[in-house]
Amino acid sequence: MSNIQELDDTSLPTFKVERVQLQFSISSDFVAAQVANNVLVLALSTGRILRIDLDSPSDIDDIDLPKKTSEIGLIRRMFLDPSASHLIITTTLGENYYLHTQSRQPKPLSRLKGVGIESIAWNPSVPTASTREILLGVADGNVYEGYIEPSSEFYRNQEKYLKAVYRVPDGPVTGLWVDLIPGRSDTRRVIVATPNKLLHFVGRIGRYGQEGSGSIFTKLFETEAPTLHEVNRGVQGSPSALVISPDPSEPQSTENEDGERTYAWLSGQGVLHGRLRTATASASLGNTVFNNSKMISRSHIPASENVIGRERPTQEAIVGVALSQWHVLCLVEGRIVALQKLDERVVYDQVVLEPGQSALCLLADQKKNTYWLFTTKDIFEIVVTDEDREVWKIMLKSHQFGLASQYAKTPVQKDAVAMASGDHLINKGQYLEAANIYGKSSRPFEQVALTFIDHGEQDALRRYLLTKIGTYKRSSIMQRTMIASWLVEIFMSKLNSLDDTITTKAQLTENTNTAETIDELATIRKEFEEFVSRYKTDLDRQTTYEIISSHGREQELLSYATAIDDYNYVLSYWVQRERWQESLDVLKKQTDPSIFYKYSSVHMIHAPTEFVDILMRHPDLDPLKLIPALLNYNKTIPNIPLPQNQAVRYLLFCINALHTTVSAIHNTLISIYASHPSPSETALLSYLSTHSLSNPPPYDTDFAFRLCIQHSRVQSAVHIYTSMGSYASAVDLALKHDEIELASVVADRPSSTETALRKRLWLAVAKKVISQQGTGSIKTAIDFLKRCDLLRIEDLIPFFPDFVVIDDFKDEICAALESYSRSIASLESEMDASAATAESIKMDIKQLDRRYAIVEPGERCRVCELPLLSRQFFVFPSCQHGFHSDCLGRKVLEGSGLTVRGRIRELQAQIGRGGRREKEGRELDALVAGQCILCGDLAIKSIEEPFVFDADDGEEWAI
């Protein structure tokens, strides 16, 4: 601690007195002054009052009292509330005036005429419109309660009421203070100061009607007895004052964390100062305040020296006092002396006034934390800079390490506090607490570690290392790795020690309570897991495994492996111990596909259902890489029924849910189905029936066929042949294995247009059936073959044995002969009908040569209405309609399609070129005169044409 003085920031002095240079000249002397909320009020000997806003010093209010100084006397005192809203002026002749901040006309306080005001306690709520309830201390010992409300009416009293509420029998009331008690809105604290007495009141106030209608402090003074602090009377006329500390300029800038203010009472004995506590009960609050207060006597302040270096024979009294957040400022012998509140050490002593020069007052701005000294000619500002810079040292010396750390500002200061705090705790034997503190200090690592080791404090060492590792940067890889590894060793030793303790206690007596040790074991284990989770990147994997394994801590091994995501280690651990449920729990949390592939075989053997459940929750896996595990499972457990076969279950999931078309997956499923010892082919046939419709099928047909043949799956092999369209091979295979029913089903598969193929297939089936029946039951074979309508008895006769008895199929032969007879009769009937039809056609042809039509002389063309005989024409005998050739041709062109129209024009062009064109003429006549345009297809097509066209006159249709 000897080097603590060197740790202060001395860039700027804490206190500095500066003379204020006014921007204007003043010819008269100052007689009074006040400062509040950055507003400076000066009273001149001429009766003028200057109100200056220090934020804009050029803006000055020059105010005169209503009467001359010869009538009312000089201004003796001024009182300005903390918000600078209300100013009360008192003169030497007992006149009192009130001035509001928004006014430049002081108003007389008629009810206070002749009252010498010495002090005022402003209302804690600090209003701006009115003063609300205030207390005034006067020279005769009375305390008045008043309520001043500014009014623009000249003859109206400014005071709403004025009432004497208390009297101090001996001397003037030199100081008053009122404040609120937190949490008790109807309770007030009142401090009354006289030259030799300090009275502390706490009590409830009264409320009567509306605000300002009556006294509220009367009840308090009448019902409550004050707590009294009294000192010996000093020299008559000794200075006396009561001052309160300013508002905190920032959080935690005062000595009190709860925001309590401090007070200072100047008396003939010196300066009594202390905290205005609020947390104590009201009855003992005054005693608490005074008992914890300290007196700064005059002798505590060093005497000033004269010009030849010798001290003055007598000491002058302290004539002024002010409070900053951390210091008591005293005006004594023309010097400003600052004393630290906490240890009353003098931290500043500066001569300000010239010999013989007296001061008016020493003031503090409670809102802005500025400090001022006034004389009759000059104004001085006491500039305070970083006044809490030494607080941490004082707290450190008094072993208040928490506060010392709070007020230490630089890292070096905080480190000094940490080291001193750690040393103190070590001396008290509080090793765990010291470990936390040392871990944040710069005390040499080896020194602290050896201290804990020498004292056998492994728990403290563990806590120190846990704290210390967090102070190293990430770049300090070696240091962090070494400390982390050491911590693993310490954790393992501690856990083993606790296990041994539990085991030993259990062996010694059955009634021994080991619950506390078990709880501690759980706590240390949790602490280790948190440590590993936080500092896993600082641990070397192999080293950590070796340390934990050397202590035989299996659970901690798993915790570490899980923390570093070494799931291979965790899984191999559980697999080696055949703890399948634990290994499955680990697998459930995995997302790396390689983990599943690696441990798929062993889990398919020992926990197939649960493992497949997990696989099905991971559709991103590659089923191809799981095929070896599935085949191994099927080989190891061959007799499991297919519905319970987990390999089949997973493969079906891949096919049906994931819609995989990878042939290897389908081939694997076919392989398992085909190789299963069950004789049933239901599952395999169901699969083949579902997927054989695809083109191409998702499986290898050659591979599937070979498997079916290898494992005698005839129905499946036949199905594969059939799906490929190889019906002949399918029938041959079925017949080869005596599957006649199956062969007959396949023989019916070809379409109805492939009758030759169907007949050939059924002949093969018939041959097999007849050969199997032999001569024993030809009748049965004939009945079976009736299922095909393509076979005739003559087709089957070659297959019968040479010595078969015809009686066995005589009925069938007779039926066949009868069928042939009926067919011959039917053919004869058809031939007769055809001959009759031919004869009828011949008759029609002969009659065509004799057809004619009669054209009357006046017959007209049905198109142009001109005489029909005027030029070449056509007449249709069936309907007797006649048309000119050109008119008929034009109408046919208009109503025909593009093809017919083009052909007609082409034929017309060819005939127009001359020459013999009989063939073209006949074709043209057939196209033009093929049918009547009024009775044939052209007439039907014209049904959609309107009766009236746009070119026609619509009036012709009018009725």
Side-chain angles (χ1 to χ4, degrees), residues 19 54 75 91 127 172 276 289 312 327 347 427 499 540 610 711 736 740 774 861 876 894 927 949:
R19 187 187 301 273
L54 295 177
I75 296 175
T91 68
L276 292 176
V289 171
R312 295 179 179 179
H327 294 85
V347 297
N427 293 334
D499 279 339
D540 177 72
E610 296 82 357
H711 297 283
K736 179 180 179 181
I740 296 176
C861 175
F876 294 92
E894 291 174 358
L927 289 174
F949 293 94

Side-chain angles (χ1 to χ4, degrees), residues 295-317:
M295 174 68 78
I296 301 175
S297 63
R298 173 62 185 84
S299 60
H300 188 77
I301 300 175
S304 62
E305 297 182 355
N306 58 16
V307 293
I308 59 177
R310 292 177 295 179
E311 293 185 358
R312 295 179 179 179
T314 59
Q315 291 184 336
E316 296 181 10

Side-chain angles (χ1 to χ4, degrees), residues 5 141 445 503 554 696 718 741:
Q5 297 293 339
F445 176 83
T503 303
E554 292 186 357
V718 169
E741 186 64 32

